[in-house]
Amino acid sequence: MPQDFMWGVATSANQVEGAWNEDGKGMSIADCERYNPHQDLNDYKRVNSMSTAELNQAIKDHSTKKWGKRHGVDFYHRYPSDLKLLAKAHINAFRISIAWTRIYPNGDDSEPNQKGLEYYDSLFKTMKDYGIQPIVTLSHYEMPLNLVLKYDAWFDKKVADYFVKFSKTVIDRYHNLVKYWIPINEIDSIVRHPFSSAGLVEDRFPDQNFTQVIYQAMHNQFIASAKITAYIHKNYPEAKVGSMITSTMVYPYNSDPRNMFKATETMRENYNFSDIQVRGAYPKVLLDHMKKIGVDIPITQEDKALLEANTADFVAFSYYSSVCTAYDTTGLKITKANRTTGVYNKYLPESEWGWQIDPVGLRIILINLFDRYQKPLFIVENGLGAKDALTSNNYVHDQYRIDYLRQHIKQMLLSLQNDGIDLMGYLMWGSTDMVSASTTQMSKRYGLIYVDLDDNGNGSYTRTLKDSYYWYQKLLSFGTEIPTAYLEND
Ligand code: BG6
């Protein structure tokens, strides 16, 4: 394994920090996302959208019970002890995001909030003391609510400028402590869940084609991201900037070439998002697609030059599961994946949330992305959401999570050894447990460290190390020489 390989964990501010209205923090869109367990497939649409009525209800109600992202897991106050536990597990990298609303509570404030800046000063310094490299996402499913109500969020170019301003503030402040930046989490996700990704509320655009609105906001995100990349490369050349996409592996339902074609097309649609950031231009197939669906967004010569000149240094991605697809899905069993659905794969087991567990899919994604871009890859999310139980003598026996991690890490190592890829690191999703992004559930747990808190926000927030914590700790203690036996089945 590469000597400087980054082994660690990943989180986002809105899912762990809590303290939603402390120390000058403004209300964010994540603070408005309600508990929504979406146990059946038809609920998926609701998971991915937001209405003005729901938003108004959230603004009026100041409780944290139904709006779990408001309390998170109290990382805001408990980061010193959480980081201590993570350092003991030998992690050397930790992906966090900076909450825009802690720095500019309304988004359009003229001056940043000092207390917010000081919080991240302290967080990054503590990480440095433990020898933990921060990987920082600048926009991870949150933005000031004020920018939604006043400007219609990322649809308005002004908001993109405010985001660039926020980003420059934190980049200037923390450049000595942070070397790796990811401007936008899963930049493709705007087409699937436009509210949490970009603050777009469909009923606020009654006279417009909402698809057009989404693509305009998407373009604004790409432009802001390129401006941030330019700023970092010019002022802090030692720092690195990553593009980031959601990677759900898509297989043909069977060997019917029409199904293979459909799978190829679906994967390509996903890669088109990283194409823009890694290759520096909108691919023709995407421009043609936009035309076909009646989307017409102005992409100026200046925009094109900006995208071309400011490409990403590394290609980051999340990977959880895979689905199948077919040109005709009539009568086929449908299953869930990361805020999407697909045809069920009879060869794979599934998580309690119906996401199909597919370690080999990770290896295929690594090959696909490396062959496509020839740039360093970075697995910045991979993990299992599961219902864990705390035993009466304070254990969490999450063998299923150990199996998930072991199988995925094994495929990653096989890929490193055999596929000629360049991989910077592996960050599992979940340090402590945290509030689920899509469902705002606490019971969908991802962490190595159990947090005593339920879906209603009841609990002591006490941390308990899970079996998976000890397993990961031992794995990381091997450094770059992992014994093959450790990754074999028990
Ligand atoms: C990723 C997101 O797509 O999926 C994370 O970047 C999220 O924020 C993760 O938590 C898992 O999804 P969920 O909905 O199970 O929390």
Side-chain angles (χ1 to χ4, degrees):
M1 291 182 67
Q3 289 302 317
D4 52 358
F5 195 77
M6 286 183 265
W7 271 120
V9 292
T11 60
S12 77
N14 79 81
Q15 291 170 266
V16 295
E17 283 182 2
W20 70 294
N21 54 5
E22 282 183 47
D23 292 340
K25 181 185 173 295
M27 194 168 188
S28 85
I29 58 169
D31 297 326
C32 302
E33 286 181 324
R34 233 184 121 116
Y35 174 73
N36 176 24
H38 78 87
Q39 290 305 336
D40 89 71
L41 279 166
N42 299 329
D43 283 347
Y44 250 61
K45 196 161 180 243
R46 179 155 145 37
V47 159
N48 293 344
S49 64
M50 174 68 75
S51 69
T52 296
E54 286 170 298
L55 213 49
N56 287 338
Q57 201 188 357
I59 295 166
K60 263 194 264 146
D61 191 326
H62 281 204
S63 89
T64 58
K65 298 265 176 205
K66 295 173 214 143
W67 288 278
K69 289 171 188 166
R70 296 178 182 181
H71 58 64
V73 291
D74 197 29
F75 182 73
Y76 186 73
H77 296 111
R78 293 167 196 250
Y79 71 88
S81 45
D82 283 351
L83 285 177
K84 194 171 175 185
L85 292 174
L86 293 169
K88 275 195 184 152
H90 313 299
I91 71 153
N92 64 19
F94 185 11
R95 176 173 173 230
I96 62 137
S97 69
I98 296 182
W100 186 350
T101 46
R102 284 203 194 284
I103 310 300
Y104 289 102
N106 301 297
D108 57 357
D109 319 69
S110 53
E111 294 302 322
N113 171 30
Q114 283 309 310
K115 285 211 164 151
L117 290 170
E118 285 161 17
Y119 164 67
Y120 292 106
D121 282 339
S122 173
L123 175 61
F124 291 133
K125 280 189 191 130
T126 315
M127 285 166 80
K128 189 175 182 209
D129 291 345
Y130 284 121
I132 297 173
Q133 181 84 248
I135 289 90
V136 177
T137 316
L138 293 164
S139 173
H140 194 135
Y141 298 164
E142 52 84 26
M143 68 184 297
L145 178 64
N146 176 55
L147 296 181
V148 175
L149 304 176
K150 209 156 149 188
Y151 307 94
D152 272 324
W154 276 94
F155 178 64
D156 191 325
K157 286 196 168 75
K158 277 202 272 316
V159 168
D161 292 340
Y162 287 129
F163 179 67
V164 174
K165 177 179 167 181
F166 151 71
S167 300
K168 286 181 178 173
T169 303
V170 296
I171 290 161
D172 287 344
R173 178 114 177 173
Y174 307 121
H175 70 93
N176 281 327
L177 297 162
V178 180
K179 193 175 161 205
Y180 299 97
W181 300 93
I182 296 174
I184 298 187
N185 181 58
E186 298 177 334
I187 198 152
D188 55 297
S189 62
I190 191 167
V191 295
R192 291 191 307 282
H193 44 107
F195 177 72
S196 36
S197 300
L200 303 175
V201 179
E202 186 164 2
D203 64 33
R204 290 179 65 90
F205 301 92
D207 305 325
Q208 295 183 62
N209 168 1
F210 192 54
T211 308
Q212 163 94 13
V213 169
I214 291 174
Y215 276 82
Q216 179 62 62
M218 172 193 88
H219 183 62
N220 295 344
Q221 289 195 334
F222 279 122
I223 293 301
S225 191
K227 286 183 180 166
I228 292 162
T229 306
Y231 188 76
I232 293 175
H233 284 164
K234 178 161 179 263
N235 297 289
Y236 308 108
E238 70 290 356
K240 303 274 177 227
V241 189
S243 72
M244 191 200 160
I245 53 164
T246 325
S247 288
T248 297
M249 181 63 208
V250 183
Y251 299 107
Y253 171 64
N254 57 22
S255 56
D256 182 330
R258 291 170 297 184
N259 292 338
M260 181 62 202
F261 175 75
K262 181 81 186 156
T264 305
E265 199 181 35
T266 312
M267 291 295 283
R268 202 171 177 220
E269 277 164 16
N270 181 233
Y271 294 148
N272 282 170
F273 288 86
S274 36
D275 287 350
I276 298 170
Q277 294 189 304
V278 185
R279 293 174 166 164
Y282 275 78
K284 183 173 182 299
V285 62
L286 178 57
L287 294 171
D288 290 348
H289 172 71
M290 282 162 32
K291 240 187 236 155
K292 257 184 240 155
I293 59 172
V295 166
D296 180 19
I297 51 168
I299 303 175
T300 64
Q301 284 309 325
E302 199 191 330
D303 291 347
K304 285 183 189 163
L306 190 74
L307 292 171
E308 193 181 341
N310 300 290
T311 53
D313 303 310
F314 63 92
V315 181
F317 65 97
S318 62
Y319 177 79
Y320 291 90
S321 64
S322 65
V323 289
C324 292
T325 190
Y327 76 97
D328 179 3
T329 57
T330 318
L332 298 179
K333 184 177 169 188
I334 302 298
T335 191
K336 298 172 192 170
N338 195 352
R339 301 216 215 193
T340 188
T341 55
V343 175
Y344 182 80
N345 187 336
K346 66 178 178 191
Y347 298 102
L348 298 173
E350 59 188 341
S351 78
E352 287 160 293
W353 273 261
W355 298 15
Q356 295 205 269
I357 300 171
D358 177 19
V360 175
L362 172 63
R363 184 169 175 187
I364 301 171
I365 294 281
L366 286 166
I367 293 173
N368 284 355
L369 287 174
F370 193 70
D371 283 357
R372 195 172 183 101
Y373 301 124
Q374 303 282 307
K375 284 214 179 174
L377 308 179
F378 201 164
I379 302 168
V380 294
E381 288 185 33
N382 174 235
L384 177 72
K387 285 181 191 149
D388 296 333
L390 184 65
T391 65
S392 53
N393 46 358
N394 279 329
Y395 286 102
V396 178
H397 299 306
D398 56 341
Q399 185 58 41
Y400 38 88
R401 184 168 292 103
I402 296 174
D403 290 341
Y404 181 99
L405 294 172
R406 193 188 39 174
Q407 290 162 3
H408 284 79
I409 290 169
K410 185 174 168 186
Q411 291 301 322
M412 174 189 83
L413 292 180
L414 283 171
S415 191
L416 265 170
Q417 285 159 1
N418 301 295
D419 303 335
I421 60 160
D422 180 355
L423 183 64
M424 294 163 64
Y426 173 91
L427 308 179
M428 67 155 284
W429 185 249
S431 50
T432 58
D433 293 331
M434 64 183 112
V435 179
S436 155
S438 58
T439 68
T440 315
Q441 284 174 298
M442 209 31 239
S443 51
K444 191 178 188 188
R445 295 173 182 274
Y446 280 92
L448 299 168
I449 303 168
Y450 183 89
V451 178
D452 175 35
L453 199 63
D454 68 15
D455 282 342
N456 297 314
N458 299 318
S460 63
Y461 291 85
T462 303
R463 277 48 174 162
T464 303
L465 305 181
K466 302 183 191 177
D467 289 357
S468 58
Y469 173 94
Y470 295 107
W471 182 86
Y472 203 54
Q473 180 184 49
K474 184 154 182 210
L475 175 84
L476 269 49
S477 74
F478 296 125
T480 52
E481 302 290 328
I482 297 170
T484 322
Y486 197 64
L487 297 171
E488 297 304 331
N489 238 329
D490 298 328

